[in-house]
Coordinates of all heavy atoms in Angstrom, one line a residue:
M1 N 69.8 -27.7 -176.0 CA 70.5 -28.8 -176.8 C 70.0 -30.1 -176.3 O 70.1 -30.4 -175.1 CB 72.0 -28.6 -176.7 CG 72.7 -29.7 -177.4 SD 74.5 -29.3 -177.3 CE 74.9 -29.1 -179.0
G2 N 69.4 -31.0 -177.2 CA 68.9 -32.3 -176.8 C 70.0 -33.3 -176.6 O 71.1 -33.2 -177.1
R3 N 69.7 -34.3 -175.9 CA 70.6 -35.5 -175.7 C 70.6 -36.3 -177.0 O 69.6 -36.6 -177.5 CB 70.1 -36.3 -174.5 CG 70.3 -35.7 -173.2 CD 70.1 -36.7 -172.2 NE 70.0 -36.0 -170.9 CZ 69.3 -36.4 -169.9 NH1 68.6 -37.5 -169.9 NH2 69.2 -35.7 -168.8
Q4 N 71.8 -36.7 -177.3 CA 71.9 -37.6 -178.5 C 72.7 -38.8 -178.0 O 73.6 -38.7 -177.2 CB 72.6 -36.9 -179.6 CG 71.7 -35.8 -180.2 CD 72.4 -35.3 -181.5 OE1 73.4 -35.8 -182.0 NE2 71.7 -34.3 -182.1
G5 N 72.3 -40.0 -178.6 CA 73.1 -41.2 -178.3 C 72.5 -42.0 -177.1 O 73.1 -43.0 -176.7
G6 N 71.4 -41.7 -176.6 CA 70.7 -42.6 -175.7 C 70.8 -42.3 -174.2 O 70.8 -41.1 -173.8
E7 N 70.9 -43.3 -173.5 CA 70.8 -43.3 -172.0 C 72.0 -43.7 -171.3 O 72.0 -44.6 -170.4 CB 69.6 -44.2 -171.6 CG 68.3 -43.8 -172.4 CD 67.2 -44.7 -172.1 OE1 67.4 -45.9 -171.8 OE2 66.0 -44.3 -172.2
H8 N 73.1 -43.0 -171.6 CA 74.4 -43.4 -171.0 C 74.4 -43.2 -169.4 O 75.2 -43.8 -168.7 CB 75.5 -42.6 -171.6 CG 75.7 -42.9 -173.1 ND1 76.2 -44.1 -173.5 CD2 75.3 -42.2 -174.2 CE1 76.2 -44.1 -174.8 NE2 75.7 -42.9 -175.2
Y9 N 73.5 -42.3 -168.9 CA 73.5 -42.0 -167.5 C 73.0 -43.3 -166.7 O 73.2 -43.3 -165.5 CB 72.5 -40.9 -167.2 CG 71.1 -41.1 -167.6 CD1 70.2 -41.6 -166.7 CD2 70.6 -40.9 -168.9 CE1 68.9 -41.9 -167.1 CE2 69.3 -41.1 -169.3 CZ 68.4 -41.6 -168.4 OH 67.2 -41.9 -168.7
K10 N 72.4 -44.3 -167.4 CA 72.0 -45.5 -166.7 C 73.0 -46.5 -166.5 O 72.8 -47.5 -165.8 CB 70.8 -46.1 -167.6 CG 69.6 -45.3 -167.6 CD 68.5 -46.0 -168.4 CE 67.2 -45.3 -168.5 NZ 66.2 -46.1 -169.1
F11 N 74.3 -46.2 -166.9 CA 75.3 -47.2 -166.8 C 76.6 -46.6 -166.5 O 77.0 -45.6 -167.1 CB 75.4 -48.0 -168.1 CG 76.4 -49.2 -168.0 CD1 76.0 -50.4 -167.5 CD2 77.7 -49.0 -168.4 CE1 76.9 -51.5 -167.4 CE2 78.6 -50.1 -168.3 CZ 78.2 -51.3 -167.8
F12 N 77.3 -47.2 -165.5 CA 78.7 -46.7 -165.1 C 79.5 -47.9 -164.7 O 79.1 -48.7 -163.9 CB 78.6 -45.7 -163.9 CG 79.9 -45.4 -163.3 CD1 80.8 -44.6 -164.0 CD2 80.3 -45.8 -162.1 CE1 82.0 -44.2 -163.5 CE2 81.5 -45.5 -161.5 CZ 82.4 -44.7 -162.3
N13 N 80.6 -48.1 -165.3 CA 81.5 -49.2 -165.1 C 82.8 -48.7 -164.5 O 83.6 -48.1 -165.2 CB 81.7 -50.0 -166.4 CG 82.4 -51.3 -166.2 OD1 83.6 -51.4 -166.2 ND2 81.6 -52.4 -166.0
H14 N 83.0 -49.0 -163.2 CA 84.2 -48.4 -162.5 C 85.4 -49.4 -162.5 O 85.6 -50.0 -161.5 CB 83.7 -48.0 -161.1 CG 84.8 -47.3 -160.3 ND1 85.7 -46.5 -160.8 CD2 84.9 -47.3 -159.0 CE1 86.5 -46.0 -159.9 NE2 86.0 -46.4 -158.7
T15 N 86.1 -49.5 -163.6 CA 87.1 -50.5 -163.7 C 88.3 -50.2 -162.8 O 89.1 -51.1 -162.5 CB 87.6 -50.6 -165.2 OG1 88.1 -49.3 -165.6 CG2 86.5 -51.1 -166.1
A16 N 88.5 -49.0 -162.3 CA 89.6 -48.7 -161.4 C 89.3 -49.0 -160.0 O 90.2 -49.0 -159.1 CB 89.9 -47.2 -161.5
C17 N 88.1 -49.5 -159.6 CA 87.8 -49.9 -158.3 C 88.6 -51.1 -157.8 O 88.8 -52.0 -158.6 CB 86.3 -50.2 -158.2 SG 85.8 -50.8 -156.5
E18 N 89.1 -51.0 -156.6 CA 89.9 -52.1 -156.1 C 89.1 -53.4 -156.0 O 89.7 -54.5 -155.8 CB 90.6 -51.8 -154.8 CG 89.7 -51.4 -153.7 CD 89.4 -49.9 -153.7 OE1 89.4 -49.2 -154.7 OE2 89.1 -49.4 -152.6
F19 N 87.8 -53.4 -156.0 CA 87.0 -54.6 -155.8 C 86.4 -55.1 -157.2 O 85.7 -56.1 -157.2 CB 85.8 -54.3 -154.9 CG 86.3 -53.9 -153.5 CD1 86.2 -52.6 -153.1 CD2 86.9 -54.8 -152.7 CE1 86.6 -52.2 -151.9 CE2 87.4 -54.4 -151.4 CZ 87.2 -53.1 -151.0
Y20 N 86.7 -54.4 -158.2 CA 86.2 -54.7 -159.6 C 86.9 -55.9 -160.2 O 88.1 -56.1 -160.1 CB 86.4 -53.5 -160.5 CG 85.9 -53.7 -161.9 CD1 84.6 -53.4 -162.2 CD2 86.7 -54.1 -162.9 CE1 84.1 -53.5 -163.5 CE2 86.3 -54.3 -164.2 CZ 85.0 -54.0 -164.5 OH 84.5 -54.1 -165.7
P21 N 86.2 -56.9 -160.8 CA 84.7 -57.0 -160.7 C 84.3 -57.7 -159.4 O 85.0 -58.6 -159.0 CB 84.4 -57.9 -161.9 CG 85.7 -58.7 -162.1 CD 86.8 -57.9 -161.6
C22 N 83.2 -57.3 -158.9 CA 82.8 -57.8 -157.6 C 81.7 -58.9 -157.6 O 81.3 -59.4 -156.6 CB 82.3 -56.6 -156.7 SG 81.0 -55.7 -157.5
H23 N 81.1 -59.1 -158.8 CA 80.1 -60.1 -158.9 C 80.4 -61.1 -160.1 O 81.1 -60.7 -161.0 CB 78.7 -59.4 -159.2 CG 78.2 -58.7 -157.9 ND1 77.5 -59.4 -156.9 CD2 78.3 -57.4 -157.6 CE1 77.2 -58.5 -156.0 NE2 77.6 -57.3 -156.3
D24 N 79.8 -62.2 -160.0 CA 80.0 -63.3 -161.0 C 79.2 -63.0 -162.2 O 78.0 -63.5 -162.3 CB 79.7 -64.6 -160.4 CG 80.1 -65.8 -161.4 OD1 80.9 -65.5 -162.3 OD2 79.6 -66.9 -161.2
M25 N 79.7 -62.1 -163.1 CA 79.0 -61.7 -164.3 C 80.1 -61.1 -165.2 O 81.1 -60.8 -164.7 CB 77.8 -60.8 -164.1 CG 78.2 -59.4 -163.4 SD 76.9 -58.4 -163.0 CE 76.2 -57.9 -164.6
P26 N 79.8 -61.0 -166.5 CA 80.8 -60.4 -167.4 C 81.2 -59.0 -166.9 O 80.3 -58.2 -166.7 CB 80.1 -60.4 -168.7 CG 79.1 -61.5 -168.7 CD 78.6 -61.5 -167.2
A27 N 82.5 -58.8 -166.7 CA 82.9 -57.5 -166.1 C 82.5 -56.3 -166.9 O 82.1 -55.3 -166.4 CB 84.4 -57.5 -166.0
E28 N 82.5 -56.4 -168.2 CA 82.1 -55.3 -169.1 C 80.6 -55.0 -169.0 O 80.2 -53.9 -169.4 CB 82.5 -55.5 -170.5 CG 81.8 -56.7 -171.2 CD 82.5 -58.1 -171.0 OE1 83.5 -58.1 -170.2 OE2 82.0 -59.1 -171.5
D29 N 79.8 -55.9 -168.5 CA 78.4 -55.7 -168.3 C 78.0 -55.2 -166.9 O 76.9 -54.9 -166.6 CB 77.6 -56.9 -168.6 CG 77.7 -57.3 -170.0 OD1 77.9 -56.4 -170.9 OD2 77.5 -58.5 -170.3
L30 N 79.0 -55.2 -166.0 CA 78.8 -54.8 -164.6 C 78.5 -53.3 -164.4 O 79.4 -52.5 -164.6 CB 80.0 -55.2 -163.8 CG 79.9 -55.0 -162.3 CD1 78.8 -55.8 -161.6 CD2 81.3 -55.3 -161.6
N31 N 77.3 -53.0 -164.0 CA 76.9 -51.6 -163.8 C 77.2 -51.3 -162.3 O 76.6 -51.8 -161.4 CB 75.4 -51.4 -164.1 CG 75.0 -50.0 -164.1 OD1 75.8 -49.1 -163.8 ND2 73.7 -49.7 -164.4
C32 N 78.1 -50.3 -162.1 CA 78.5 -49.9 -160.8 C 77.7 -48.8 -160.3 O 78.0 -48.3 -159.2 CB 80.0 -49.6 -160.8 SG 81.1 -50.9 -161.4
L33 N 76.7 -48.3 -161.0 CA 75.9 -47.1 -160.6 C 75.3 -47.3 -159.3 O 75.2 -46.4 -158.5 CB 74.9 -46.8 -161.7 CG 74.1 -45.6 -161.6 CD1 75.0 -44.3 -161.7 CD2 73.0 -45.5 -162.7
F34 N 74.8 -48.5 -159.0 CA 74.1 -48.8 -157.7 C 75.0 -49.8 -156.9 O 74.6 -50.8 -156.5 CB 72.8 -49.4 -157.9 CG 71.8 -48.5 -158.7 CD1 71.3 -48.9 -159.9 CD2 71.4 -47.3 -158.1 CE1 70.5 -48.1 -160.6 CE2 70.5 -46.5 -158.8 CZ 70.0 -46.9 -160.1
C35 N 76.3 -49.4 -156.7 CA 77.3 -50.2 -156.1 C 76.7 -50.7 -154.7 O 76.7 -51.9 -154.4 CB 78.5 -49.4 -155.9 SG 79.8 -50.3 -154.9
Y36 N 76.2 -49.8 -153.9 CA 75.5 -50.1 -152.7 C 74.0 -50.1 -153.0 O 73.5 -49.1 -153.3 CB 75.9 -49.2 -151.6 CG 77.3 -49.3 -151.1 CD1 78.3 -48.4 -151.6 CD2 77.6 -50.3 -150.2 CE1 79.6 -48.6 -151.2 CE2 79.0 -50.4 -149.8 CZ 79.9 -49.5 -150.3 OH 81.2 -49.7 -149.9
C37 N 73.4 -51.3 -153.0 CA 72.1 -51.4 -153.4 C 71.1 -50.6 -152.7 O 71.0 -50.7 -151.5 CB 71.6 -52.9 -153.4 SG 70.0 -53.2 -154.0
P38 N 70.4 -49.7 -153.4 CA 69.4 -48.9 -152.7 C 68.1 -49.7 -152.3 O 67.3 -49.1 -151.5 CB 69.0 -47.8 -153.8 CG 69.3 -48.5 -155.1 CD 70.5 -49.4 -154.8
L39 N 68.0 -50.9 -152.7 CA 66.9 -51.7 -152.3 C 67.1 -52.6 -151.1 O 66.2 -53.3 -150.7 CB 66.5 -52.6 -153.5 CG 66.2 -51.8 -154.8 CD1 65.7 -52.8 -155.9 CD2 65.3 -50.7 -154.6
Y40 N 68.3 -52.6 -150.5 CA 68.6 -53.4 -149.4 C 67.5 -53.3 -148.3 O 67.1 -54.2 -147.7 CB 70.0 -53.0 -148.8 CG 70.4 -53.9 -147.7 CD1 71.1 -55.1 -147.9 CD2 70.2 -53.5 -146.4 CE1 71.5 -55.9 -146.8 CE2 70.6 -54.3 -145.3 CZ 71.2 -55.5 -145.5 OH 71.6 -56.3 -144.5
C41 N 67.1 -52.1 -148.0 CA 66.1 -51.8 -147.0 C 64.8 -52.4 -147.2 O 64.0 -52.5 -146.3 CB 66.0 -50.3 -146.7 SG 65.2 -49.4 -148.1
L42 N 64.5 -52.9 -148.4 CA 63.2 -53.5 -148.7 C 63.2 -55.0 -148.2 O 62.2 -55.7 -148.3 CB 62.9 -53.5 -150.2 CG 62.8 -52.1 -150.8 CD1 62.6 -52.2 -152.3 CD2 61.7 -51.3 -150.1
G43 N 64.3 -55.4 -147.6 CA 64.3 -56.8 -147.0 C 64.0 -57.8 -148.1 O 64.5 -57.8 -149.2
P44 N 63.1 -58.8 -147.7 CA 62.8 -59.9 -148.6 C 62.0 -59.5 -149.8 O 61.8 -60.3 -150.7 CB 61.9 -60.8 -147.7 CG 61.4 -60.0 -146.6 CD 62.4 -58.9 -146.4
D45 N 61.5 -58.2 -149.9 CA 60.8 -57.8 -151.0 C 61.6 -56.9 -152.0 O 61.0 -56.2 -152.8 CB 59.6 -56.9 -150.5 CG 58.6 -57.7 -149.6 OD1 58.4 -58.9 -149.9 OD2 58.1 -57.2 -148.7
C46 N 62.9 -57.1 -152.0 CA 63.7 -56.3 -152.9 C 63.7 -56.7 -154.3 O 64.0 -56.0 -155.2 CB 65.2 -56.2 -152.3 SG 66.0 -57.9 -152.4
G47 N 63.4 -58.0 -154.5 CA 63.4 -58.6 -155.9 C 64.7 -59.2 -156.3 O 64.9 -59.6 -157.4
G48 N 65.7 -59.2 -155.4 CA 67.0 -59.8 -155.7 C 67.3 -61.2 -155.2 O 66.4 -61.8 -154.6
N49 N 68.4 -61.7 -155.6 CA 68.9 -63.0 -155.2 C 69.7 -62.9 -153.9 O 70.9 -62.6 -154.0 CB 69.7 -63.7 -156.3 CG 70.2 -65.0 -156.0 OD1 69.6 -65.7 -155.1 ND2 71.2 -65.4 -156.6
F50 N 69.2 -63.1 -152.8 CA 69.9 -62.9 -151.5 C 69.6 -64.1 -150.6 O 68.8 -65.0 -151.0 CB 69.5 -61.6 -150.8 CG 68.0 -61.7 -150.4 CD1 67.6 -62.1 -149.2 CD2 67.0 -61.2 -151.3 CE1 66.3 -62.2 -148.8 CE2 65.7 -61.3 -151.0 CZ 65.3 -61.8 -149.7
R51 N 70.3 -64.1 -149.5 CA 70.0 -65.1 -148.5 C 70.2 -64.5 -147.1 O 71.0 -63.5 -147.0 CB 70.8 -66.4 -148.7 CG 72.3 -66.2 -148.5 CD 73.1 -67.4 -149.0 NE 74.5 -67.1 -148.8 CZ 75.3 -67.8 -148.1 NH1 74.9 -68.8 -147.4 NH2 76.6 -67.4 -148.0
Y52 N 69.6 -65.0 -146.1 CA 69.9 -64.6 -144.8 C 70.9 -65.5 -144.1 O 70.8 -66.8 -144.2 CB 68.6 -64.5 -143.9 CG 67.7 -63.3 -144.3 CD1 66.6 -63.5 -145.1 CD2 68.1 -62.1 -143.9 CE1 65.8 -62.4 -145.4 CE2 67.3 -61.0 -144.3 CZ 66.2 -61.1 -145.0 OH 65.4 -60.1 -145.4
V53 N 71.9 -65.0 -143.5 CA 72.9 -65.8 -142.8 C 73.1 -65.3 -141.4 O 72.5 -64.4 -140.9 CB 74.3 -65.6 -143.6 CG1 74.1 -66.2 -145.1 CG2 74.8 -64.2 -143.6
G54 N 74.1 -65.9 -140.7 CA 74.4 -65.6 -139.3 C 73.7 -66.5 -138.4 O 72.8 -67.3 -138.8
E55 N 74.1 -66.5 -137.2 CA 73.5 -67.4 -136.2 C 72.0 -67.2 -136.0 O 71.3 -68.2 -135.9 CB 74.2 -67.2 -134.8 CG 75.6 -67.8 -134.8 CD 76.2 -67.7 -133.4 OE1 75.5 -67.7 -132.4 OE2 77.5 -67.5 -133.3
A56 N 71.6 -66.0 -136.1 CA 70.2 -65.7 -135.9 C 69.5 -65.6 -137.3 O 68.2 -65.4 -137.3 CB 70.0 -64.4 -135.1
G57 N 70.2 -65.8 -138.3 CA 69.6 -65.7 -139.7 C 69.1 -64.3 -140.0 O 68.1 -64.2 -140.7
D58 N 69.7 -63.3 -139.4 CA 69.2 -61.9 -139.6 C 70.1 -61.0 -140.4 O 69.9 -59.8 -140.4 CB 69.0 -61.3 -138.2 CG 70.2 -61.3 -137.3 OD1 71.2 -62.0 -137.7 OD2 70.2 -60.6 -136.3
I59 N 71.1 -61.6 -141.0 CA 72.1 -60.8 -141.8 C 71.8 -61.1 -143.3 O 71.8 -62.2 -143.7 CB 73.5 -61.1 -141.5 CG1 73.8 -60.8 -140.0 CG2 74.5 -60.3 -142.4 CD1 75.1 -61.3 -139.5
K60 N 71.4 -60.0 -144.0 CA 71.1 -60.2 -145.4 C 72.4 -60.2 -146.2 O 73.1 -59.2 -146.3 CB 70.2 -59.0 -145.9 CG 69.6 -59.2 -147.2 CD 68.6 -58.1 -147.6 CE 68.1 -58.2 -148.9 NZ 67.2 -57.1 -149.3
D61 N 72.6 -61.3 -146.9 CA 73.8 -61.5 -147.7 C 73.4 -61.4 -149.2 O 72.7 -62.2 -149.7 CB 74.4 -62.9 -147.5 CG 75.6 -63.2 -148.4 OD1 76.0 -62.3 -149.2 OD2 76.0 -64.3 -148.4
C62 N 73.8 -60.3 -149.8 CA 73.5 -60.0 -151.2 C 74.6 -60.3 -152.2 O 74.6 -59.8 -153.4 CB 73.0 -58.5 -151.3 SG 71.7 -58.1 -150.2
S63 N 75.6 -61.0 -151.8 CA 76.8 -61.1 -152.6 C 76.6 -61.9 -153.9 O 77.3 -61.7 -154.8 CB 77.9 -61.8 -151.8 OG 77.5 -63.1 -151.3
A64 N 75.5 -62.7 -154.0 CA 75.2 -63.4 -155.2 C 74.2 -62.7 -156.1 O 73.9 -63.1 -157.2 CB 74.7 -64.8 -154.9
C65 N 73.8 -61.5 -155.6 CA 72.8 -60.8 -156.4 C 73.4 -59.8 -157.4 O 74.3 -59.1 -157.1 CB 71.9 -60.0 -155.4 SG 70.6 -59.1 -156.2
T66 N 72.8 -59.8 -158.6 CA 73.3 -58.9 -159.6 C 72.2 -58.0 -160.1 O 72.4 -57.3 -161.1 CB 73.9 -59.7 -160.8 OG1 72.9 -60.6 -161.3 CG2 75.1 -60.5 -160.4
V67 N 71.0 -58.0 -159.4 CA 69.9 -57.1 -159.9 C 70.3 -55.7 -160.1 O 70.1 -55.1 -161.1 CB 68.7 -57.3 -158.9 CG1 67.7 -56.2 -159.2 CG2 68.1 -58.6 -159.1
P68 N 71.0 -55.0 -159.1 CA 71.3 -53.6 -159.3 C 72.5 -53.4 -160.2 O 72.8 -52.3 -160.6 CB 71.6 -53.1 -157.9 CG 72.1 -54.3 -157.2 CD 71.3 -55.5 -157.7
H69 N 73.1 -54.5 -160.6 CA 74.3 -54.3 -161.4 C 74.1 -54.7 -162.9 O 75.1 -54.7 -163.7 CB 75.5 -55.2 -160.9 CG 75.8 -54.9 -159.4 ND1 76.3 -53.7 -159.1 CD2 75.5 -55.6 -158.3 CE1 76.4 -53.6 -157.8 NE2 76.0 -54.8 -157.3
R70 N 72.9 -55.0 -163.2 CA 72.6 -55.3 -164.6 C 72.0 -54.1 -165.3 O 71.1 -53.4 -164.8 CB 71.6 -56.5 -164.7 CG 72.2 -57.7 -164.2 CD 71.5 -59.0 -164.7 NE 72.2 -60.2 -164.3 CZ 73.3 -60.7 -164.9 NH1 73.7 -60.1 -166.0 NH2 73.9 -61.7 -164.5
R71 N 72.5 -53.7 -166.4 CA 72.1 -52.6 -167.2 C 70.6 -52.5 -167.4 O 70.0 -51.5 -167.3 CB 72.8 -52.6 -168.6 CG 72.6 -51.5 -169.5 CD 73.2 -51.7 -170.9 NE 74.6 -52.1 -170.8 CZ 75.7 -51.3 -171.0 NH1 75.5 -50.1 -171.4 NH2 76.9 -51.8 -171.0
E72 N 70.0 -53.6 -167.7 CA 68.6 -53.7 -168.0 C 67.7 -53.4 -166.8 O 66.5 -53.3 -166.9 CB 68.2 -55.0 -168.7 CG 68.4 -56.2 -167.8 CD 69.8 -56.9 -168.0 OE1 70.7 -56.2 -168.5 OE2 69.9 -58.0 -167.5
N73 N 68.3 -53.4 -165.6 CA 67.5 -53.2 -164.4 C 67.4 -51.8 -163.8 O 66.8 -51.5 -162.8 CB 68.0 -54.2 -163.3 CG 67.7 -55.6 -163.6 OD1 66.8 -55.9 -164.4 ND2 68.4 -56.5 -162.9
Y74 N 68.0 -50.9 -164.5 CA 68.0 -49.5 -164.1 C 66.6 -49.0 -163.8 O 66.3 -48.4 -162.8 CB 68.7 -48.6 -165.1 CG 68.6 -47.1 -164.8 CD1 69.6 -46.5 -164.0 CD2 67.5 -46.3 -165.2 CE1 69.5 -45.2 -163.6 CE2 67.5 -45.0 -164.9 CZ 68.4 -44.4 -164.1 OH 68.3 -43.1 -163.7
D75 N 65.7 -49.2 -164.8 CA 64.3 -48.7 -164.6 C 63.6 -49.4 -163.5 O 62.8 -48.8 -162.7 CB 63.5 -48.9 -165.9 CG 64.0 -47.9 -167.0 OD1 64.5 -46.8 -166.7 OD2 64.0 -48.3 -168.2
Y76 N 63.8 -50.7 -163.3 CA 63.3 -51.4 -162.1 C 63.7 -50.8 -160.8 O 62.9 -50.5 -159.9 CB 63.7 -52.9 -162.2 CG 63.3 -53.6 -160.9 CD1 62.0 -54.0 -160.6 CD2 64.3 -53.9 -159.9 CE1 61.7 -54.6 -159.4 CE2 64.0 -54.5 -158.7 CZ 62.7 -54.9 -158.5 OH 62.3 -55.5 -157.3
I77 N 65.0 -50.5 -160.7 CA 65.5 -49.9 -159.5 C 64.9 -48.5 -159.2 O 64.4 -48.2 -158.1 CB 67.1 -49.7 -159.5 CG1 67.8 -51.1 -159.7 CG2 67.6 -48.9 -158.4 CD1 67.8 -51.9 -158.4
M78 N 64.8 -47.7 -160.3 CA 64.2 -46.4 -160.1 C 62.7 -46.4 -159.7 O 62.3 -45.6 -158.9 CB 64.4 -45.6 -161.4 CG 65.8 -45.3 -161.8 SD 66.8 -44.6 -160.5 CE 66.1 -43.0 -160.4
R79 N 62.0 -47.4 -160.2 CA 60.6 -47.6 -159.8 C 60.4 -47.9 -158.3 O 59.4 -47.7 -157.7 CB 59.9 -48.6 -160.7 CG 59.6 -48.2 -162.1 CD 58.7 -49.2 -162.8 NE 59.1 -50.5 -162.8 CZ 59.9 -51.1 -163.7 NH1 60.4 -50.4 -164.7 NH2 60.3 -52.4 -163.6
Q80 N 61.4 -48.5 -157.7 CA 61.4 -48.9 -156.3 C 61.6 -47.8 -155.4 O 61.4 -48.0 -154.2 CB 62.4 -50.1 -156.1 CG 62.2 -51.3 -157.0 CD 60.7 -51.7 -157.1 OE1 60.1 -52.0 -156.1 NE2 60.2 -51.9 -158.3
F81 N 62.1 -46.7 -155.8 CA 62.4 -45.6 -154.9 C 61.2 -45.0 -154.1 O 61.4 -44.5 -153.0 CB 63.2 -44.5 -155.6 CG 64.7 -44.7 -155.7 CD1 65.3 -45.0 -156.9 CD2 65.4 -44.6 -154.5 CE1 66.6 -45.2 -156.9 CE2 66.8 -44.9 -154.6 CZ 67.4 -45.2 -155.8
E82 N 60.0 -45.2 -154.7 CA 58.8 -44.8 -153.9 C 58.7 -45.6 -152.7 O 58.4 -45.1 -151.6 CB 57.6 -44.9 -154.8 CG 56.4 -44.2 -154.2 CD 56.5 -42.7 -154.0 OE1 57.2 -42.1 -154.8 OE2 55.8 -42.2 -153.1
R83 N 59.0 -46.9 -152.8 CA 58.9 -47.8 -151.7 C 60.0 -47.5 -150.7 O 59.8 -47.6 -149.4 CB 59.0 -49.3 -152.1 CG 57.8 -49.7 -153.0 CD 58.1 -51.1 -153.6 NE 58.3 -52.1 -152.6 CZ 58.9 -53.2 -152.9 NH1 59.5 -53.5 -154.0 NH2 59.1 -54.1 -151.9
V84 N 61.2 -47.2 -151.1 CA 62.3 -46.9 -150.3 C 62.0 -45.6 -149.5 O 62.2 -45.5 -148.3 CB 63.6 -46.7 -151.1 CG1 64.7 -46.1 -150.2 CG2 64.0 -48.0 -151.7
K85 N 61.4 -44.6 -150.2 CA 61.0 -43.3 -149.6 C 60.0 -43.6 -148.5 O 60.1 -43.0 -147.4 CB 60.4 -42.4 -150.6 CG 60.0 -41.0 -150.1 CD 59.2 -40.2 -151.1 CE 57.8 -40.7 -151.0 NZ 56.8 -39.9 -151.4
D86 N 59.0 -44.5 -148.7 CA 58.0 -44.8 -147.7 C 58.7 -45.4 -146.4 O 58.3 -45.1 -145.3 CB 57.0 -45.8 -148.2 CG 56.1 -45.1 -149.3 OD1 56.0 -43.9 -149.3 OD2 55.4 -45.9 -150.0
I87 N 59.7 -46.3 -146.6 CA 60.4 -46.9 -145.5 C 61.1 -45.8 -144.7 O 61.1 -45.8 -143.5 CB 61.3 -48.0 -145.9 CG1 60.5 -49.2 -146.3 CG2 62.3 -48.4 -144.9 CD1 61.3 -50.3 -147.0
A88 N 61.8 -44.9 -145.4 CA 62.5 -43.8 -144.8 C 61.6 -42.9 -144.0 O 61.9 -42.5 -142.9 CB 63.3 -43.0 -145.8
A89 N 60.4 -42.6 -144.6 CA 59.5 -41.7 -143.9 C 59.0 -42.4 -142.6 O 58.8 -41.7 -141.6 CB 58.3 -41.4 -144.8
R90 N 58.7 -43.7 -142.6 CA 58.3 -44.4 -141.4 C 59.3 -44.4 -140.3 O 59.0 -44.3 -139.2 CB 57.8 -45.8 -141.8 CG 56.5 -45.9 -142.5 CD 56.0 -47.3 -142.4 NE 56.8 -48.3 -143.0 CZ 56.8 -48.7 -144.3 NH1 56.0 -48.1 -145.1 NH2 57.7 -49.6 -144.7
S91 N 60.6 -44.5 -140.7 CA 61.6 -44.6 -139.7 C 62.0 -43.2 -139.1 O 62.5 -43.2 -138.0 CB 62.9 -45.2 -140.3 OG 63.5 -44.3 -141.3
T92 N 61.6 -42.2 -139.8 CA 61.9 -40.8 -139.2 C 60.6 -40.2 -138.7 O 60.7 -39.1 -138.1 CB 62.5 -39.9 -140.3 OG1 61.6 -39.7 -141.4 CG2 63.8 -40.4 -140.8
G93 N 59.5 -40.8 -139.0 CA 58.2 -40.2 -138.5 C 57.7 -39.1 -139.4 O 56.7 -38.4 -139.0
D94 N 58.2 -38.9 -140.6 CA 57.7 -37.9 -141.5 C 56.5 -38.3 -142.3 O 56.4 -39.4 -142.7 CB 58.8 -37.5 -142.5 CG 59.9 -36.7 -141.8 OD1 59.7 -36.3 -140.7 OD2 61.0 -36.6 -142.4

């Protein structure tokens, strides 16, 4: 049986979350699928709107970033998993 109606798996809006809405964007457009950004480990090459904070400037603050929370960025996020896999392999020696 084929899928009908599109790509609903690319979007999840968790209105019952106690932190919802967590970003400055229309709540009904907020994609919660990547609540914890899988691109965080890419550091400055993640493609998002972030800044470094803290005394040493070594804490990545992504609170203003909406890249993983925008419906249209699902495919972008998925394309980055090869890079995330490479970082994980280097950290484990695989």
Side-chain angles (χ1 to χ4, degrees):
M1 179 177 241
R3 288 189 194 153
Q4 292 188 3
E7 302 175 334
H8 299 287
Y9 63 92
K10 293 183 177 185
F11 185 84
F12 172 70
N13 191 269
H14 187 29
T15 59
C17 177
E18 59 270 26
F19 302 107
Y20 180 87
C22 55
H23 289 277
D24 188 20
M25 60 185 294
E28 63 276 4
D29 293 333
L30 181 64
N31 189 356
C32 303
L33 188 62
F34 300 115
C35 175
Y36 290 95
C37 183
L39 306 184
Y40 183 87
C41 66
L42 298 178
D45 299 323
C46 67
N49 178 25
F50 64 91
R51 64 189 179 122
Y52 285 104
V53 298
E55 287 185 32
D58 58 347
I59 300 169
K60 190 175 177 187
D61 173 11
C62 305
S63 60
C65 182
T66 59
V67 168
H69 303 294
R70 295 200 173 277
R71 183 185 310 258
E72 64 269 17
N73 290 341
Y74 175 88
D75 292 326
Y76 169 77
I77 298 286
M78 297 308 290
R79 286 192 307 271
Q80 303 312 307
F81 274 109
E82 190 66 29
R83 295 172 60 207
V84 172
K85 183 189 82 156
D86 291 343
I87 288 173
R90 285 196 302 269
S91 69
T92 62
D94 291 343

